[in-house]
Amino acid sequence: MTNDEPVFLAACRGKPVSHMPVWVMRQAGRYLPEYRAVRAKVGFTELTRSPELACEVTLQPIRRFALDASIIFSDIMVPIEGMGVALEYAPGPVIAEPVRTLKQVEALRPIVPERDVPFVMEAIKLTRAGLPKHVPLIGFAGSPFTLFSYLVAGKPSKEFSVPRAFAQAEPEISARLMEKLADAMIVYLKAQANAGAQALMLFESWGGLLGPNDYARIALPPVKRIIDGLKDVGVPLIYFANQCGGNLASIATLNADVIGLDWRTSLGAARKVLGPGKAVQGNLDPAHLFSSPENLKKRVDEVLADAGPGPGHIFNLGHGIWPETDPDSVARLVDYVHERTRA
Ligand code: 1CP
């Protein structure tokens, strides 16, 4: 590999780097006044469907901070709309007719990205053209269980009791739905890579609500199907496993390059279970961006000490940045991670 390989991509592959890469989940979002200015003019749906505006908000955090990766501005529910499900953002996804019958599952159209969500690929092409070479662009999708949770519940929820009960009451319909979602996400993620995404990330936001046996039985198989389905694409695959500290033994069996972890899970302990072949991403508590500049440094040091030395760590928050966060705190975070880890 040449020396000008971006540090983010090198770290995804577990290679040594000149400084630790850092980026922030939801780095394009409401904590940025320039994002709020765009949103004052257009609705969220319009924003996701306009390649120019999606490109603009994707680039906003890159202009402000020395970030090492960019993630295309979109939402995990965008391809679901592409499969024919009507939904609104309020601000989380709300579905008028939740999917709860086999008939509804069979009626979901397999996605044809170029026909159903062409604006995503156009946004990726535009954004790649606007990004500096050392900042790779990440494409993403929701994990089947996370998408299933929204489709069955019909709205955001803390416990997702409706989809969890549905998965028990209707295991076959549930498995069929998640299999269908997995196949759609393979096609969708491949299209993003073809359009220029240099890494692909799967957000398992809600699989951690399941106990370890249910996680292994219900959430993991469709994730494995996606990851195996993407093995020929050739870009690093990141699996963000929110609140999945109890599921690491099953996660270790996946062929993902990087496992993203939340702050409730020790990166050091996770690395022992995941083994040397997997990089980790995370896991500062988003609340720590509200601490004093001095304490923020201490919290970053704690994450670094926990993860331990050695390559294969991408610094990030443990989940999305909160809208109330001061952008200056993000600048201090990014600069300090670089300063502290420069070889
Ligand atoms: O009013 C607004 O501007 C809408 C708020 C918003 C934003 C900024 C939504 C609705 N989606 C997004 C963008 C978004 N969503 C990105 C942008 C890229 C970036 O990171 O910069 C990404 C990666 C997502 C992915 C996403 N959407 C996830 C997975 C990540 C996670 O947070 O766990 C999930 C669960 C969603 C659903 C969703 N869409 C929007 C909201 C507010 C939510 C969460 C709803 C809930 O709490 O259940």
Side-chain angles (χ1 to χ4, degrees):
M1 224 10 96
T2 57
N3 284 336
D4 48 15
E5 182 180 28
V7 287
F8 169 75
L9 295 177
C12 286
R13 304 288 194 200
K15 296 182 202 163
V17 283
S18 54
H19 66 263
M20 187 176 290
V22 51
W23 70 281
V24 171
M25 283 189 277
R26 297 273 177 110
Q27 64 193 19
R30 288 167 291 176
Y31 75 105
L32 288 178
E34 56 271 37
Y35 175 84
R36 295 196 298 269
V38 173
R39 280 284 280 108
K41 288 185 239 144
V42 296
F44 182 74
T45 303
E46 193 181 337
L47 182 49
T48 59
R49 289 185 191 170
S50 157
E52 291 77 20
L53 290 176
C55 169
E56 163 58 23
V57 298
T58 302
L59 295 176
Q60 285 176 346
I62 307 302
R63 293 189 192 116
R64 234 185 215 266
F65 314 117
L67 293 158
D68 297 288
S70 173
I71 183 162
I72 192 64
F73 188 86
S74 187
D75 194 80
I76 57 167
M77 300 306 283
V78 165
I80 299 300
E81 294 180 84
M83 293 171 80
V85 177
L87 60 91
E88 279 172 28
Y89 297 91
V94 178
I95 298 162
E97 287 180 56
V99 176
R100 295 179 189 165
T101 63
L102 187 58
K103 201 169 160 223
Q104 284 172 295
V105 172
E106 296 306 348
L108 289 175
R109 324 190 265 260
I111 196 164
V112 180
E114 299 70 24
R115 175 193 71 195
D116 300 323
V117 287
F119 43 84
V120 174
M121 276 68 71
E122 282 163 37
I124 288 173
K125 286 179 196 155
L126 279 180
T127 307
R128 268 300 295 280
L131 279 170
K133 287 231 173 343
H134 68 279
V135 182
L137 181 60
I138 304 167
F140 71 90
S143 77
F145 181 77
T146 295
L147 298 172
F148 164 90
S149 297
Y150 287 109
L151 280 169
V152 175
K155 57 179 195 278
S157 155
K158 277 212 164 63
E159 294 285 332
F160 283 104
S161 48
V162 174
R164 281 160 61 202
F166 186 83
Q168 302 304 323
E170 299 288 357
E172 276 138 35
I173 302 178
S174 300
R176 175 71 191 123
L177 175 50
M178 281 181 258
E179 189 182 76
K180 215 165 165 180
L181 292 168
D183 289 341
M185 293 312 118
I186 292 170
V187 173
Y188 179 55
L189 288 165
K190 277 187 180 166
Q192 292 185 58
N194 283 338
Q198 293 146 290
L200 296 172
M201 178 153 164
L202 208 51
F203 284 90
E204 184 66 270
S205 303
W206 306 124
L209 294 172
L210 301 173
N213 291 327
D214 274 338
Y215 175 83
R217 189 162 40 228
I218 297 168
L220 192 75
V223 170
K224 187 176 179 323
R225 189 177 174 97
I226 296 178
I227 290 175
D228 293 348
L230 293 172
K231 73 172 183 301
D232 296 332
V233 175
V235 304
L237 304 178
I238 308 167
Y239 179 54
F240 171 57
N242 186 36
Q243 297 200 51
C244 279
N247 301 318
L248 292 169
S250 344
I251 291 171
T253 66
L254 294 170
N255 266 324
D257 301 281
V258 184
I259 305 300
L261 296 157
D262 70 280
W263 62 93
R264 302 159 195 90
T265 306
S266 152
L267 292 184
R271 278 180 139 174
K272 290 200 183 94
V273 183
L274 294 171
K278 285 189 174 58
V280 290
Q281 177 172 277
N283 70 346
L284 188 82
D285 183 341
H288 288 151
L289 290 170
F290 294 80
S291 60
S292 66
E294 212 168 294
N295 283 335
L296 175 61
K297 289 184 179 178
K298 290 184 192 155
R299 301 292 87 83
V300 170
D301 288 343
E302 285 171 358
V303 171
L304 295 172
D306 175 30
H313 179 195
I314 296 145
F315 203 99
N316 203 317
L317 303 182
H319 204 163
I321 188 169
W322 299 350
E324 301 78 13
T325 309
D326 178 356
D328 290 343
S329 191
V330 176
R332 285 193 284 268
L333 168 72
V334 171
D335 293 344
Y336 184 64
V337 171
H338 286 165
E339 178 193 318
R340 186 62 180 60
T341 63
R342 201 157 274 135

